[in-house]
Amino acid sequence: QRYCQEVYRGQLASVHSAARNQELQKLARTHTILAPWIGAVTSRKAGQWESHWEDSSPWNYANWAPIHPKHIVTTCTTLSTRDGLWRSRFCLQLRPFICQY
């Protein structure tokens, strides 16, 4: 997220519809086989696990793969180029990312 903000003056992408999810999946597939980061973070707040967007936009759509998000530690989210599903990953992994403006 910091790199996206500092270098590109953007935010990691937030996804609010199936159409947008599919658009980003197709875009990512043209550049990488690795699942890129999007701007969803899952963390524990007031004893409850919740997901939120880094850009503070409303959480009104989700496309999690089965058994995701993982509720172990705070996790970041990848968008699969293969199936378009989201998966929880440790935030320190180096991966491609999708920046939005």
Side-chain angles (χ1 to χ4, degrees):
Q1 173 69 355
R2 189 177 323 130
Y3 190 85
C4 189
Q5 289 172 327
E6 291 174 2
V7 175
Y8 297 103
R9 302 282 184 244
Q11 301 270 346
L12 286 175
S14 55
V15 184
H16 300 284
S17 69
R20 176 76 168 156
N21 196 75
Q22 186 174 37
E23 175 188 334
L24 294 178
Q25 177 192 0
K26 286 180 182 174
L27 173 70
R29 194 185 298 150
T30 65
H31 296 283
T32 182
I33 57 168
L34 280 176
W37 293 120
I38 57 174
V41 175
T42 301
S43 59
R44 194 176 183 110
K45 291 196 175 149
Q48 297 288 322
W49 287 96
E50 68 176 47
S51 299
H52 65 274
W53 293 111
E54 291 272 32
D55 67 1
S56 300
S57 61
W59 186 265
N60 55 9
Y61 173 80
N63 195 36
W64 294 109
I67 74 161
H68 288 268
K70 305 247 182 185
H71 295 152
I72 303 165
V73 295
T74 295
T75 56
C76 296
T77 306
T78 60
L79 168 65
S80 171
T81 57
R82 186 175 39 83
D83 60 19
L85 296 175
W86 304 352
R87 290 175 174 85
S88 303
R89 301 286 184 226
F90 292 113
C91 298
L92 296 178
Q93 291 180 356
L94 290 178
R95 293 179 165 273
F97 54 89
I98 302 174
C99 234
Q100 69 184 14
Y101 305 93

